[in-house]
Amino acid sequence: PMRIEKCYFCSSNIYPGHGISFVRNDCKVFKFCRSKCHKNFKMKRNPRKVRWTKAYRNAVGKEMTVDQVFTFEKRRNIPVRYNRDLFVKTVGAMKRIAEVREARQKRFWENRMKQAQRRHEQAQDKELEKNLHLVEPALRDTITLKLSNKMDISE
């Protein structure tokens, strides 16, 4: 049966006829999507420390790690007798799941960006407070007023 595998190193998809398989002495099979992943594996690099891998993005909190949608992607080895209606329903469900996943990932990304924007603004305010003596005296009063208003709102 044709199956889309996952790369051991970066977790990207490996389509039939693509990629490299490495079989260790204990018969464990490692599948890699490209030579880049294979070479990094041979160099004994940890995928959680290599920035372009899915494992790194999950470890650092850049991607969703816990979601119900991921349970549908799990590998199932139970053979099912062919049924046209079941097949049509499955394909429809796969499309719907993809839509739901995209919407949730977009929402997750937007929340992450809001937090990053907030941190960025706080860092700018802190920098401005620290170097207020460099600002022209005419602007200094308005800036201190804005900063004090922000402090009142946040407290």
Side-chain angles (χ1 to χ4, degrees):
M2 296 295 174
R3 175 174 276 152
I4 299 172
E5 304 279 351
K6 291 284 183 190
C7 176
Y8 178 81
F9 195 78
C10 73
S11 303
S12 66
N13 292 334
I14 306 171
Y15 292 94
H18 294 259
I20 304 160
S21 292
F22 171 71
V23 184
R24 207 165 51 188
N25 287 344
D26 62 354
C27 294
K28 175 141 173 51
V29 179
F30 299 93
K31 295 193 181 283
F32 303 102
C33 58
R34 52 188 181 264
S35 60
K36 178 183 181 181
C37 296
H38 188 211
K39 288 173 183 173
N40 276 291
F41 175 80
K42 287 193 290 190
M43 286 191 279
K44 298 185 176 180
R45 292 216 172 122
N46 186 349
R48 283 172 293 180
K49 293 184 180 176
V50 180
R51 294 185 73 128
W52 50 268
T53 62
K54 188 100 166 169
Y56 174 84
R57 293 185 64 80
N58 285 339
V60 176
K62 289 184 176 282
E63 286 190 10
M64 293 190 306
T65 51
V66 180
D67 195 18
Q68 287 297 113
V69 175
F70 297 128
T71 58
F72 294 114
E73 276 188 14
K74 285 188 179 162
R75 188 170 165 170
R76 291 172 188 81
N77 291 326
I78 303 161
V80 178
R81 189 172 192 169
Y82 178 76
N83 179 353
R84 188 183 177 98
D85 296 332
L86 179 69
F87 196 80
V88 170
K89 280 183 184 175
T90 304
V91 171
M94 287 167 66
K95 289 177 183 174
R96 180 74 183 117
I97 288 166
E99 291 171 9
V100 168
R101 184 191 301 115
E102 285 176 17
R104 287 183 179 174
Q105 285 177 339
K106 187 171 190 276
R107 210 173 316 125
F108 180 78
W109 182 83
E110 286 171 351
N111 288 337
R112 239 183 70 229
M113 291 301 114
K114 280 180 190 173
Q115 292 171 356
Q117 181 70 28
R118 205 174 304 122
R119 283 195 302 270
H120 182 67
E121 286 173 1
Q122 287 173 349
Q124 283 181 332
D125 290 345
K126 196 172 184 181
E127 186 73 23
L128 197 57
E129 270 186 59
K130 195 165 76 174
N131 299 315
L132 197 60
H133 63 279
L134 299 174
V135 180
E136 292 179 17
L139 294 172
R140 198 175 296 159
D141 297 331
T142 57
I143 291 172
T144 52
L145 188 65
K146 285 181 185 176
L147 287 174
S148 63
N149 285 341
K150 280 188 180 180
M151 297 298 173
D152 292 339
I153 293 168
S154 63
E155 290 174 353

